[in-house]
Amino acid sequence: MTEYTTLLTETRGRVATITLNRPEALNALNSTLVRELIDAALAFDADPGVGAIVLTGSEKAFAAGADIKEMADQSYADMYLGGPFPGWGGFERMRTPLIAAVSGFALGGGCELAMMCDIIIAADTAKFGQPEINLGVLPGFGGSQRLPRAIGKYKAAEMILTGRMMGAEEAERSGLVSRVVPASELLAEAAKTAETIASKSLPAVYAAKDALQAAQEMPLAEGLRFERQAFAAAFATDDQSEGMHAFAEKRAPEFRHR
Ligand code: CAA
């Protein structure tokens, strides 16, 4: 397994966990961390033995944003060319479901990283925010696009224009997180969710993730057409036959692809 300087990685059964590990900077996303994170995530994504990935940070911070000190002296051209953070495209196109397990601060790029995941499970201590406005800039890892889609224009505008943080309870009420759990149970709950997903048919999981992605990107009519095709295509897999016959025979399915 590759050794990283800013991450810890482990695999248990079909669940991989990536832990952001720059405690001295509250897991601020510097160029090394971003490069290592994308590398680790894509390696797990390419491994058919991995059915779901948990992404987490420390108790105090999931991630406190892009690394401000590293960015401070960048120019327009530096940032336009990818700056210290090139290459999110592959991460955003991963097929394996990603579960963000968020404790403490998820700010700026940290909040945006959580929003790149499919599911966000938050500890009751979690704090979300897009404070870039306080630095004289705006969100740069997708926050101005994903936050309004998640919580609506008006709440997103208030957060992005004022830099206000939102606690876990408000985040759940607003639709930013899937579920809030006590901090002490965060990793166990995220692992349980990941194990559940990893026990399903992999082609069905990939297709469902694709369809959910389409819902974010396509107009409704196009998304519905996409879903109709994907649903029909599921009937070309032996896992569809197994899943439906297992139900009729009152037994647990034995999916071939998982
Ligand atoms: N970049 C670089 N270093 C950071 C950092 C960041 N985003 N966030 C925290 N750190 C560092 C601090 O500088 C400090 O380092 P030193 O001990 O060497 O001084 C260390 O982490 C601990 O932080 P604090 O002492 O500030 O801890 P705190 O508990 O008093 O405050 C906090 C916590 C409220 C999260 C505060 O650290 C903070 O406001 N951080 C910045 C949050 C932010 O503005 N994020 C957005 C970044 S820009 C961005 O993300 C752009 C984008 O969309 C791509």
Side-chain angles (χ1 to χ4, degrees):
M1 190 170 279
T2 318
E3 286 290 320
Y4 296 108
T5 57
T6 62
L7 307 175
L8 303 171
T9 59
E10 71 162 23
T11 311
R12 273 195 202 169
R14 293 183 44 73
V15 173
T17 301
I18 301 175
T19 304
L20 307 181
N21 188 32
R22 278 192 81 208
E24 71 284 4
L26 302 182
N27 293 331
L29 309 169
N30 69 358
S31 48
T32 306
L33 188 150
V34 169
R35 185 170 23 81
E36 292 188 345
L37 172 59
I38 293 171
D39 182 75
L42 293 187
F44 284 135
D45 193 40
D47 180 350
V50 171
I53 301 169
V54 174
L55 176 60
T56 193
S58 68
E59 220 176 292
K60 181 159 182 196
F62 177 72
D67 191 307
I68 300 166
K69 296 165 190 170
E70 192 180 48
M71 268 183 309
D73 295 322
Q74 300 279 317
S75 67
Y76 166 80
D78 293 333
M79 295 311 286
Y80 188 65
L81 294 173
F85 320 111
W88 281 116
F91 186 87
E92 291 171 319
R93 283 191 301 276
M94 280 174 52
R95 305 176 82 189
T96 311
L98 274 158
I99 297 156
V102 176
S103 178
F105 296 111
L107 301 178
C111 184
E112 294 166 297
L113 177 59
M115 289 192 288
M116 287 181 212
C117 297
D118 300 289
I119 291 173
I120 304 178
I121 301 183
D124 48 13
T125 57
K127 289 192 189 68
F128 297 86
Q130 297 289 163
E132 291 90 342
I133 203 78
N134 299 327
L135 302 166
V137 293
L138 68 156
F141 290 173
S144 67
Q145 304 304 301
R146 289 200 175 95
L147 194 63
R149 281 169 169 78
I151 68 176
K153 173 188 161 182
Y154 300 101
K155 222 169 170 63
E158 191 215 352
M159 288 185 69
I160 289 173
L161 296 177
T162 68
R164 172 173 88 79
M165 284 188 223
M166 182 188 267
E169 202 184 298
E170 184 182 358
E172 184 178 33
R173 209 174 344 117
S174 310
L176 178 56
V177 305
S178 318
R179 202 145 52 84
V180 178
V181 300
S184 58
E185 293 166 25
L186 177 67
L187 290 180
E189 285 297 325
K192 216 187 294 172
T193 303
E195 280 156 19
T196 301
I197 294 169
S199 74
K200 314 295 182 195
S201 158
L202 204 54
V205 167
Y206 282 177
K209 176 164 165 155
D210 273 351
L212 285 160
Q213 192 61 31
Q216 297 294 304
E217 293 171 359
M218 292 179 183
L220 181 61
E222 212 180 312
L224 290 172
R225 272 195 295 278
F226 181 95
E227 185 199 69
R228 189 182 304 167
Q229 280 298 332
F231 184 68
F235 286 73
T237 66
D238 32 18
D239 283 349
Q240 169 273 327
S241 172
E242 168 60 11
M244 293 191 176
H245 283 105
F247 174 82
E249 292 159 19
K250 298 189 188 304
R251 61 176 175 81
E254 289 284 336
F255 292 126
R256 186 164 146 225
H257 302 285
R258 70 175 162 200

